[in-house]
């Protein structure tokens, strides 16, 4: 059979897309639909598993296998799937509430186990679907439906949390930047094991403009510091340097020597470096790209190696032998 | 010295000691040797509550009871004929169960003033006359064991540890148990530590010889083999049978078995056992919590495996939201609930039947799930296979109920021929045009099992109400009503065997049981019939749906007695469905019913 | 131009438009103005399913229905007399509910070819004759609004947004609604954006004037005030009433209110409302999930607050393990369940009564929890106060059931005098010797509420079975049996009011309702009686325990009809308890019963 | 009333202690009972809330208020208590399974919110109560009842995870070192907000000797690198230095200059430094003491400030006014 080249259309399902006008989810969807043909995996081997939230509607719009599960549990369900079916490519689609609030536990455990999941965290810093309560990534002091005088919680930094949970791959990107998002998807799908992709996503209805300061056409080039392995970490105006005491900091280019800019190393085994990077972003200057990408066997591979190893040594199990056991007697 | 040999038809022995004294092992060995001899038997281990208590205290007492006979028996016995107590705590904790006239064998060495005070004995019961109505044998088990091992290069502590084997040897002599199997067992177990092996073997034989030679015991006992159907047998506990049943079921269905589980007493052993069976391709996933455990099982089932999750009551509570998802997804899933005492943490090591209404109704919305309940340790095997049949044929989550009593209890099991197991193979959906994920098999109402990897079947499912046939999201009022009723009809239509009634005499009173009350009820029926009473028996193993003939059976008996280890949960289901005034007999003591109390309760109904 | 004024006794109006069209606000304002006029009223908002769909599509349609009358009414009406449709989607989505002959007002401007295709209209329904049997008014609402605002410095988009106020003004003219309150409301709402305020006011008045001057409408309608008890009234939705009831209850008990909650439709508004009430010392804690939410509430209750948690069905499933802990701890706790369509995610924005068995039984072990159900939007207030009474007096978790229908619906509420609210004060345990945390009040069986900070009361509690009196851990069989039965007895003994039966004619048929079926049942009873049928009515608000006279009431009626928005959950409870053959009438469409279907179902029973 | 000086005995309840002989929990209990009198808080104002596990029996043995709750939920329950009752001193007692497996979500959220809880995590790297399954801190490859061929999971590092979750105070100590544990308790109870104390605890029954390499009398002095604010981080044989590339590493004293040893700064705002420290321990050399101790308002304080602020502005709520609302009408 001749190889069939798939197109974006082949990955578009017949379901009407139902997000609010202007929602950042649209462009993430379009990018994904455009990216999947290039992934080179047949449609039937791709599965999207989501929790609950606006973002979690994502699987309906893709002509692949998909499950819109329950709130916060997608990483658990997807773990069971990918561990038992390592031939599949499994994406988890989740929101800041879904992943980090109710689903926080499954999230950190999937990362530490390095289960082969590509986790796309749509971070709009708000609960969209339930109409605008603050989320675990909302900035402190935020006025929302459930915090009329301002929220009191220190937000999670998803990259820091992921690193604290032993993640092997973490990246950050932006809904509207299709090229960047595509690049990150390429890197994530190449990575064996868990890949966490934080996507800054605008919710025009309940948290509009959360990321405007870095999306604005004029200041954009200065706002985004790109993490590219082997290249200096900088934007057109800012860069990352190492201070005398060893800590990393972000500085205006004008204040530093070009030569002092840190050259990005996504493959450092010690996660401290990536952790340091995760602390540097400000409201106006944000690090995007792959923070960390290190090799560790995926959980599913380890499981199957273990099973195969036992079978190689002891042979396939024989049911009659199992049932008979070693301590039986005969009545005749 | 020549000793008298007495023939008996049945005996109940309880071994009791500190958690560290190896009583479970001792009991297990005695059981195996008894099984080999061909007696029928039933066992009941009794672990101390979760935490290991300090040595020599009452909460630290662990015991193992074995009932064996020359005829068919049902329970581990109400009251022991013989108690072996390794220390004062074991004596004190078990005395209340000992009938006057029974035999008590104690390790005299442990009855020091210090140990006695620890458990609140003000005087030594071996000396103060309080045990006058019993046949007491105070034997220096520790010092005799140490003495027997003096020639070995062991510390005193190491030597002392073999005293349970001394006791086992002694009892083996007393009941004419064969010793070969235990010697073989010890040899395998301690093959890497020759000194310890030697110590155990020597202590075991020394105990046997002590029985044979000493004047302490003048009588030994013989119990003839029980007539049993031809075949190969082994001793089987409920949890092991359940694990084997799951493996067998998955093999019959030609599906890989995936267990997602989080440890919890008394269900953990199922996880432990399945994690050993990698050679069957079994994958066990110890999840971060119960929600992840059931979630992973659902994911595995979605991918075409037999997804299973095992837990106890508190874990079921946590899994309930995800089980609701499985109801909506209509995918196979088995949830094993080994029930324990509740509510909340309750009595983790004790038995109870109080999760029934939880498994029936503990989910939001109209969320029907089939429920099966195993009746005896070995029945756990059969019901596990049945759970696989129903889950896969009907694409539905299935609850399989067991409980602490049958999970840890054991009985002889006639090993089935693999060929006799049912063919449970079901087909996955195949590549096709216009695939409809919520079209249904007209007979079973099952929807297609369309696993990822099948070209052309790409589709999306989820927990929001689905449109009939297409499975798309639907908020249509009529569709919702239709789907709610269809899911209910699917479960109601599951084929289950009719209820079997045992009623040789045309009785007016029916004792209805479910789950683990089978053994106690059966034992009570035997006693009642022997005494001339007419009683019928029927046992419910299929709870949702009920056997089709249940209503008819109920209508035949003016009086139906329903004993349950809860406050009447099955009674509530039956009353509401059949409007029949059941006579409930409830007990929530963390213990199985005793034969005596069931007999008495039944006599009261018969006579009143 | 002089117009005819017609008097009517009742009208049902439905406002429908895109989610962004402000239909809920429009409806709310019309409701407020109607309330001020003294009509009795009932409302029913209908939100689009969770996600905002793209503009102009069917899933994006949002509507608000208002029924008002010159007499006492019970529901928001089966079928609207008037539909205001702001776009083709709103027309299409609502047409099937419109009886022939009813009035349809549409925003003609939106009926472009593009918008028509979006929702699958092949021809323009305003032109193709398909609406011939209706009184159709095609009005260019958008362009007239924009025209009226031409003098203001607004973008076209901003101007267009005021079209809902134009529509509101028009309808206000048509039904003689007073305009002051809405003008005041707008002034307050937009005080910070004077241009927008001006736009809204101008549009509102323009709409009114349009009605008054144009020839489009020749008739306006008057509906006289309904006779109502003296007093101060306000319009009240169920969720707001429930939040207020909790605050009032806590104040009556002199306890700080602590809400632990996690947002979920349709319960979130309770969290929103309580988070506004910090001046009452209310603490709201938006937890990381439902388990933490209920956990935090338990912790707060332990510390002496009125701990509350609010959620919907899936959240209850998650909370069930922790509620079992509260049962064991015997601490006050209120769990509010605003039910929605299930199972699983189900129909999040639709109503249902299908969590009843879950709240009764969805926990491991024997875990009794009192259950109350509110019957109408304003009854949510009273039942919330009752929940506080029972939780604090009996030291027990309490379930308070509401559902999407009454949570979002509204009706006039006679504002109670604060003095008329009950005194719910209970004493904390005081410093004492030999404190026993599980000693009980002989009347209520409540244990002491011993809050940290009280010297001398240091003690430990937990989820393992507790010894009677001391509360120490106990694995004693007899103690467990005793405690299980005692907890059951405590809940069974809770004092609740007797069931009230409304039976003026000595009927043979009783319609039994519970929860939100009250309004529809009452409306059906009115219709039935008017037609000469004899029917009795009784409504269960206390489900666990049932009112003491329930059995007696049931025994009086040969036929009892029980309508439920589930497959018969209350019927199951009643059948099992009273062995009474209830006639269930079930519907699971995500919608309240219509008066018509209840009347028909009852007539069938009466006649057959 | 004269001040009454309490003693260890006053904090000892009448319940018989029921751990296995030799369990590390005994010495933690003894240390706590000895420490509480010195805390200076009356008994009735102290509450211990635990989950489920061997360690979670702890509250029964202390003559204070206590709750032995359900598995993993202690931080949630304790949050509700301490937020509504800021006058109390609330400890959470938890195990590695209780805190990091089933309770992981509550654990990370309590830390990020900085709820005023002293969380004592008894880390024996095993599930004790359920008789020996591996836990989220068990080393990879561990043979246990549920992993007969060895576990496959990468363990959590509780200190790293806590830092990823924005913890303000984290320390590590050892069951058997009463003096050290006492010092850590002093620091933790002084800290406003969440304090996480990881305690290495031996389970002689199911994971005996897990920490023997650092407890052994002979090598002990070399094994433990003490984190003392303002002092060099070192043991008698090893120390922490900063590498040329800015990373921290642990080196033998013999290989380095005393002057290059990093001086500990527990109060650094950027958690990267503490994170770096969290990655340095090996099987034989472990950092103990306070990794991080920075000031941030506690959640409870913020809640009450907000409530008080509203009341100060708007006055106490009046029920009649609330019920009347702003849109009522009179029928007479
Ligand atoms: C068990 C449960 N609890 C609560 C909800 C309600 N709920 C649905 S989505 C959501 C949060 C959505 O926020 P996020 O994950 O950030 O997704 P977004 O909508 O912003 O994309 C909540 C609270 C639910 N569906 N299930
Ligand atoms: C909901 C629930 N799931 C599972 C259990 C069983 N369980 C009790 S403690 C425990 C783990 C104990 O490990 P850890 O927290 O490390 O405490 P340790 O016993 O080692 O001190 C488990 C799995 C339970 N009690 N409740
Ligand atoms: S609410 Fe926000 S996140 Fe949700 S669909 Fe609308 S714009 Fe997107
Ligand atoms: S099992 Fe281990 S942790 Fe538990 S009490 Fe025994 S020694 Fe301690
Ligand atoms: Mg979000
Ligand atoms: Mg542990």
């Amino acid at each position: 059979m001749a190889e069939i080249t798939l197109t974006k259309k082949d990955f578009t399902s017949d379901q009407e897309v139902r997000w609010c006008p202007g929602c950042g989810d649209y462009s993430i969807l379009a990018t994904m639909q455009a990216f999947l043909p290039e992934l080179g995996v047949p449609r039937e081997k791709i599965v999207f598993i989501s929790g609950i939230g606006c973002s979690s509607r994502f699987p309906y719009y893709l002509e692949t296998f998909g499950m819109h599960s329950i709130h916060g549990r997608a990483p658990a369900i997807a773990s069971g799937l990918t561990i038992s079916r390592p031939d599949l490519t499994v994406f988890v689609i989740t929101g800041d509430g879904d992943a980090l609030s109710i689903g926080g536990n499954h999230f950190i455990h999937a990362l530490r186990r390095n289960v082969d999941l590509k986790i796309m965290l749509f971070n709009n810093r708000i609960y969209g679907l339930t109409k605008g309560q603050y989320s675990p990534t909302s900035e402190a002091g935020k006025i929302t439906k459930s915090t009329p005088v301002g929220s009191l919680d220190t937000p999670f930094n998803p990259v820091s949390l992921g690193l604290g949970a032993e993640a092997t791959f973490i990246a950050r990107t932006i809904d509207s930047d299709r090229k960047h998002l595509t690049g990150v998807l390429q890197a994530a799908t190449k990575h064996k094991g868990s890949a966490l992709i934080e996507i800054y996503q605008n919710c025009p209805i309940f948290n509009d403009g959360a990321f405007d300061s870095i999306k604005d056409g004029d200041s954009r080039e200065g706002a985004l510091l790109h993490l590219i392995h082997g290249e200096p970490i900088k934007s057109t105006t800012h860069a990352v340097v190492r201070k005398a005491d060893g800590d990393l900091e972000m500085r205006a280019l004008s204040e530093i020597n070009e030569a002092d800019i840190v050259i990005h190393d996504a493959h450092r085994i010690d996660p401290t470096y990536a952790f340091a990077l995760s602390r540097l972003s400000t409201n106006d200057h944000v690090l995007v790209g792959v923070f960390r990408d290190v090799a560790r066997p995926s959980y599913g591979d380890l499981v199957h190696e273990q099973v195969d190893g036992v079978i190689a040594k002891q042979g396939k199990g024989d049911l009659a032998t199992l049932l008979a056991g070693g301590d039986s007697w005969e009545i005749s | 010295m020549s000793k008298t040999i007495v023939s008996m038809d049945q005996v109940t022995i309880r071994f009791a000691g500190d958690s560290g004294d190896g009583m479970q092992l001792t009991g297990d060995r005695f059981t195996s040797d008894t099984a080999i001899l061909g007696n029928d038997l039933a066992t009941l281990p009794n672990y101390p509550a979760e935490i290991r208590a300090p040595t020599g205290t009452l909460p630290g007492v662990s015991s193992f009871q074995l009932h064996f006979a020359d005829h068919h028996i049902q329970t581990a016995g109400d009251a022991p004929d013989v108690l072996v107590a390794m220390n004062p705590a074991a004596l004190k904790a078990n005395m209340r169960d000992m009938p006057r006239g029974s035999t008590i064998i104690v390790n005299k060495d442990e009855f020091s003033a210090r140990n006695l005070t620890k458990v609140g004995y003000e005087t030594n019961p071996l000396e103060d006359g309080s045990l006058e109505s019993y046949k007491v044998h105070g034997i220096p088990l520790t010092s005799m064991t140490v003495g027997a091992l003096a020639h070995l290069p062991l510390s005193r502590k190491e030597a002392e540890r073999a005293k349970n084997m001394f006791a086992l040897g002694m009892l083996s002599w007393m009941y004419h148990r064969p010793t070969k199997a235990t010697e073989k067992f010890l040899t395998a177990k301690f093959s890497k530590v020759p000194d310890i092996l030697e110590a155990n073997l020597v202590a075991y034989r020394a105990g046997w010889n002590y029985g044979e030679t000493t004047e302490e015991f003048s009588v030994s006992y013989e119990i003839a083999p029980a007539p049993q159907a031809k075949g190969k047998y082994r001793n089987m506990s409920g949890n092991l049978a359940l694990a084997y049943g799951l493996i067998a079921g998955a093999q019959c269905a030609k599906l890989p078995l995936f267990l997602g589980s989080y440890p919890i007493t008394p269900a953990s052993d199922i996880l432990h056992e399945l994690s050993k069976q990698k050679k069957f391709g079994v994958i066990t996933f110890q999840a971060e919590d119960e929600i992840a455990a059931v979630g992973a099982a659902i994911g595995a089932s979605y991918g075409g495996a037999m997804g299973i999750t095992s837990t106890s009551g508190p874990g079921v509570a946590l899994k309930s939201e995800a089980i609701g998802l499985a109801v909506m997804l209509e995918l196979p899933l088995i949830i094993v609930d080994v029930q324990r005492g509740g509510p909340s943490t309750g009595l983790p090591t004790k038995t109870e039947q109080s999760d029934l209404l939880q498994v029936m109704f503990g989910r939001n919305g109209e969320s029907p799930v089939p429920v099966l309940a195993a009746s005896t340790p070995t029945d756990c095997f059969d019901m596990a296979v049945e759970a696989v049949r129903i889950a896969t044929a009907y694409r539905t989550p299935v609850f399989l109920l067991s409980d602490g009593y049958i999970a840890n209890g054991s009985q002889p099991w006639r090993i089935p021929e693999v060929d006799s197991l049912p063919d449970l193979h079901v087909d996955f959906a195949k590549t096709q045009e216009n695939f409809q994920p919520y079209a249904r098999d007209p007979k079973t109402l099952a929807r297609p099992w369309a696993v990822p990897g099948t070209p052309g079947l790409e589709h999306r499912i989820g927990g929001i109400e689905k449109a009939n046939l297409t499975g798309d999201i639907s908020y249509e009022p009529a569709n919702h009503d239709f789907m709610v009723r269809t899911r209910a009809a699917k479960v109601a239509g599951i084929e289950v065997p009719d209820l079997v009634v045992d009623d040789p005499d045309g009785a007016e009173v029916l004792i209805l049981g479910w789950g683990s009350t089978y053994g106690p009820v059966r034992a009570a029926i035997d006693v009642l019939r022997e005494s001339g009473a007419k009683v019928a028996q029927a046992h419910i193993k299929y709870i949702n749906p009920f056997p089709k003939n249940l209503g008819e059976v109920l209508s035949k008996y003016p009086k139906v007695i329903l004993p349950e280890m809860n406050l009447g949960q099955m009674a509530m289901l039956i009353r509401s469905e059949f409007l029949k005034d059941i006579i409930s007999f409830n007990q929530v003591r963390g213990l199985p019913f005793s034969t005596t109390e069931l007999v008495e309760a039944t006599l009261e109904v018969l006579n009143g």
Side-chain angles (χ1 to χ4, degrees), chain A, chain B:
Chain A
M1 216 171 86
E3 193 155 312
I4 301 157
T5 325
L6 297 173
T7 65
K8 178 171 172 182
K9 223 179 120 221
D10 295 308
F11 283 97
T12 305
S13 81
D14 62 354
Q15 300 295 299
E16 199 180 339
V17 184
R18 290 191 187 167
W19 288 303
C20 305
C23 178
D25 293 353
Y26 282 100
S27 71
I28 305 174
L29 176 63
T31 306
M32 179 58 87
Q33 287 166 335
F35 165 74
L36 287 179
E38 110 182 30
L39 180 61
V41 176
R43 293 191 295 194
E44 72 273 12
K45 293 272 197 177
I46 301 175
V47 187
F48 283 83
I49 301 206
S50 64
I52 299 284
C54 295
S55 35
S56 289
R57 286 284 181 119
F58 204 81
Y60 287 116
Y61 309 132
L62 289 159
E63 191 56 18
T64 63
F65 280 84
M67 187 195 295
H68 180 213
S69 75
I70 45 175
H71 199 28
R73 316 304 173 188
I77 295 169
S79 289
L81 177 63
T82 188
I83 292 169
S84 58
R85 289 289 306 275
D87 58 315
L88 304 174
T89 297
V90 182
F91 290 87
V92 166
I93 302 294
T94 184
D96 41 326
D98 193 62
L100 301 177
S101 197
I102 193 168
N105 206 28
H106 312 306
F107 177 81
I108 57 177
H109 280 269
L111 294 179
R112 90 172 162 95
R113 292 194 187 108
N114 205 31
V115 181
D116 208 341
L117 298 173
K118 313 305 154 197
I119 304 175
M120 300 179 59
L121 196 173
F122 292 41
N123 186 0
N124 56 9
R125 297 192 181 150
I126 198 83
Y127 291 174
L129 186 62
T130 46
K131 304 194 174 160
Q133 299 83 12
Y134 78 118
S135 91
T137 56
S138 295
E139 59 283 11
K142 192 175 196 78
I143 307 267
T144 70
K145 284 224 182 90
S146 55
T147 51
V149 201
S151 69
L152 304 172
D153 306 28
T154 299
F156 278 135
N157 175 329
V159 179
S160 302
L161 181 64
L163 290 167
E166 314 293 333
T168 52
F169 181 105
I170 305 190
R172 181 187 290 143
T173 182
I174 301 176
D175 54 1
S176 51
D177 190 338
R178 297 195 183 189
K179 213 180 115 200
H180 193 263
L181 174 49
T182 304
V184 163
L185 282 172
Q186 284 161 341
T189 47
K190 255 181 226 139
H191 177 78
K192 252 320 225 182
S194 302
L196 168 62
I197 307 175
E198 181 190 18
I199 309 174
Y200 282 172
Q201 174 239 324
N202 191 38
C203 167
I205 305 297
F206 296 112
N207 198 20
D208 196 24
F211 308 103
D212 275 4
S213 58
I214 54 164
K215 282 180 172 183
D216 189 53
D218 295 338
S219 57
R220 216 187 110 98
E221 301 283 281
L224 298 182
L225 285 77
H226 286 278
L227 295 167
I228 302 165
H229 183 74
E231 311 233 335
I233 307 173
K234 59 171 190 169
S235 70
T236 54
T237 62
H238 286 68
V240 172
V241 296
R242 203 177 272 278
K243 288 197 290 183
D245 66 1
D247 284 359
L248 298 185
E249 67 175 345
M250 188 192 298
R251 297 281 294 275
L253 278 182
S254 56
E255 302 165 5
I256 56 159
N257 287 330
E258 190 85 25
D260 291 341
I261 301 179
V262 172
I263 305 296
H264 184 47
D265 176 5
H267 307 318
R268 259 213 241 189
I269 297 301
D270 186 343
T272 299
Y273 161 75
F275 189 90
L277 293 176
S278 78
R279 311 306 294 183
L280 295 182
S281 298
T282 65
N283 221 12
D284 299 326
H285 294 94
V286 170
L287 276 62
V288 294
V290 178
F291 284 77
R292 173 173 167 84
D293 180 2
V294 302
R296 200 167 83 206
S298 86
Y299 195 80
D301 283 354
L302 292 173
V303 165
H304 288 277
E305 266 167 36
Q306 210 172 45
V307 168
D308 295 348
V310 168
I311 291 176
K313 246 199 236 159
Q314 307 176 5
K316 276 222 167 195
D318 173 63
L319 191 55
T321 313
L322 176 78
L323 301 187
D327 212 9
S328 62
W329 66 93
E330 195 86 42
I331 305 233
S332 49
Chain B
M1 192 184 127
S2 112
K3 300 211 173 182
T4 318
I5 296 177
V6 174
S7 274
M8 301 187 77
D9 65 342
Q10 58 180 314
V11 179
T12 299
I13 302 179
R14 186 182 293 177
F15 297 92
D18 206 63
S19 318
D21 284 347
M23 291 297 98
Q24 302 301 326
L25 176 74
T26 310
D28 273 346
R29 286 318 313 158
F30 198 94
T31 303
S32 282
D33 298 335
T34 295
I36 289 168
L37 211 71
N39 295 130
D40 197 15
L41 64 85
T43 69
L44 179 67
N46 193 359
Y47 306 106
E50 339 104 281
I51 302 249
R52 302 195 166 199
T55 328
T57 61
L58 289 172
V61 173
S62 170
S63 72
F64 185 101
Q65 182 164 319
L66 167 70
H67 179 196
F68 56 104
D70 68 357
H71 55 276
H72 199 44
I73 56 168
Q74 308 295 345
T75 73
D78 282 9
D81 303 301
V82 182
L83 170 69
V84 179
M86 301 300 283
N87 65 9
L91 181 67
K92 182 146 195 189
N94 290 288
M95 268 319 290
R96 70 174 142 193
D97 296 339
M98 300 305 295
R100 274 162 213 285
S102 59
T103 299
I104 292 166
I105 302 175
V106 298
N107 179 2
K108 216 162 96 181
D109 289 333
E110 287 288 321
F111 280 65
S112 64
R114 185 153 171 274
N115 287 353
L116 289 168
T117 353
K118 237 189 220 171
V119 296
Y121 274 128
E122 298 186 356
T123 55
N124 187 339
L126 303 183
E127 293 160 5
D128 63 9
S130 60
L131 298 178
E132 249 170 18
S133 348
Y134 303 85
K135 295 182 217 124
V136 180
H137 302 274
I139 300 174
L141 287 173
T142 312
S143 42
M144 286 202 301
T145 304
V146 172
L149 307 183
H151 64 290
L152 292 173
L154 295 173
S155 71
R156 188 181 159 92
K157 217 170 155 193
E158 283 169 324
E160 280 184 6
R161 230 179 251 149
K163 63 182 180 293
N164 62 332
M165 286 300 121
F166 190 100
L168 178 64
M170 204 167 74
L171 271 285
S172 296
W173 168 82
M174 203 182 299
Y175 292 97
H176 293 220
R177 303 293 103 176
T179 54
K180 264 219 193 99
T182 288
E183 292 188 354
K184 200 174 130 199
F185 169 86
L186 291 172
T187 310
K189 184 174 164 87
F190 297 114
S191 65
K192 286 186 191 143
V193 274
D195 284 345
I196 306 290
L197 167 60
E198 186 67 14
N200 277 283
L201 287 176
V202 170
Y204 181 50
R205 287 174 197 144
W208 203 95
N209 292 337
Y210 176 78
E212 178 72 14
T213 31
T214 175
E215 288 180 12
E216 183 73 36
F217 302 109
S218 53
V219 192
S220 71
Y221 304 91
E222 249 179 14
I223 292 94
Q228 274 174 314
K230 265 190 189 180
K232 211 170 167 189
Y233 284 78
R234 66 185 285 191
N235 190 46
M236 201 37 134
S237 77
N239 270 346
L240 189 62
L242 208 153
Y244 281 12
L246 294 173
I247 294 174
Q251 295 260 318
C252 295
K254 300 194 178 58
L255 294 171
L257 190 167
F258 180 99
L259 177 81
S261 190
Y262 187 71
I264 188 167
T265 306
S268 307
D269 281 338
I270 297 170
L271 164 63
H272 302 161
E273 183 56 36
L274 288 175
S275 66
K276 286 185 209 154
Q277 301 302 342
K278 299 202 182 354
K279 54 179 171 297
F280 288 91
V282 168
I283 295 179
T284 55
F285 177 65
Q286 182 178 310
E288 56 271 25
D289 62 16
E290 280 86 352
I291 305 178
V294 65
I298 291 171
S301 283
Y302 176 58
M306 180 63 255
I308 299 172
T309 188
S310 54
T311 189
S312 185
V316 172
L318 289 167
K319 289 175 207 262
S320 52
E321 192 209 4
I323 296 168
L325 174 67
V327 167
M328 204 61 132
L329 299 181
E330 302 191 46
L331 283 171
L333 173 72
I334 295 173
I335 312 111
V336 177
D337 177 3
V338 186
Q339 299 165 93
R340 62 188 216 181
S344 193
T345 309
L347 295 180
T349 57
K350 307 288 175 203
T351 195
E352 208 159 286
Q353 297 183 294
S354 54
D355 287 349
L356 176 57
L357 293 177
Q358 172 178 234
V359 304
M360 285 292 294
F361 303 121
R363 293 167 295 282
N364 57 300
E366 291 289 347
S367 182
V369 176
V371 179
L372 314 181
S375 56
T376 64
T378 59
D379 188 44
C380 289
F381 181 88
D382 299 333
M383 294 314 277
V385 175
E386 274 294 88
V388 174
R389 170 180 72 86
I390 293 174
T392 53
Y394 295 88
R395 320 282 198 266
T396 176
V398 174
F399 268 108
L400 174 53
L401 294 175
S402 171
D403 65 32
Y405 173 47
I406 54 177
N408 291 320
S410 70
Q411 67 183 153
W413 182 49
R414 181 150 156 230
I415 300 162
E417 296 295 331
V418 168
D419 292 347
S420 71
L421 295 174
D423 179 359
L424 302 180
H425 179 69
V426 299
D427 285 319
F428 293 143
K430 298 207 175 55
T431 300
Q432 60 193 269
E433 297 272 299
N434 304 319
F435 172 62
Q436 295 199 306
Y438 277 77
R440 290 175 191 281
D441 178 299
K443 210 171 134 256
T444 58
L445 298 185
R447 74 174 195 91
W449 192 355
V451 304
T454 323
L457 299 195
E458 295 82 5
H459 68 286
R460 277 66 51 192
I461 56 179
I464 298 184
E465 184 60 281
K466 342 223 65 48
N468 186 30
L469 304 178
T470 65
D472 290 344
I473 287 181
S474 167
Y475 300 105
E476 265 304 300
N479 177 75
H480 180 50
D481 196 276
F482 175 81
M483 293 298 275
V484 166
R485 290 178 200 269
T486 302
R487 285 186 291 263
K490 181 173 90 169
V491 172
I494 289 171
E495 283 196 32
V496 304
D498 268 358
L499 195 67
V500 178
V501 184
D502 171 45
D503 184 7
D505 318 307
E508 302 250 296
V509 171
L510 172 72
I511 309 188
L512 192 62
W514 74 272
S516 79
T517 60
Y518 180 82
V521 168
R522 195 65 236 174
I525 296 263
D526 290 349
V527 172
L528 284 161
R529 288 194 185 149
E530 241 164 68
S531 78
K534 288 185 186 176
V535 274
Q537 191 215 6
H539 199 77
I540 302 178
K541 305 207 298 181
Y542 297 81
I543 300 174
N544 196 25
F546 278 138
K548 294 211 175 37
N549 65 334
L550 175 56
E552 195 194 310
V553 168
L554 291 171
S555 68
K556 273 201 210 136
Y557 293 91
K559 292 186 179 174
V560 178
I561 306 177
L562 177 48
E564 297 184 75
M565 296 186 290
N566 60 39
L567 293 185
Q569 301 196 1
M570 175 63 88
M572 141 136 224
L573 296 180
I574 291 184
R575 288 170 67 92
S576 92
E577 175 134 358
F578 302 104
L579 299 178
K580 168 100 188 180
D581 198 1
I582 296 282
I583 304 166
S584 271
F585 181 54
N586 305 118
Q587 186 242 66
V588 201
R589 298 161 46 85
L591 295 170
F593 286 101
S594 75
T595 310
T596 324
E597 62 189 343
L598 284 177
V599 167
E600 275 166 18
T602 310
L603 286 176
E604 220 168 87
V605 172
L606 278 166
N607 303 335

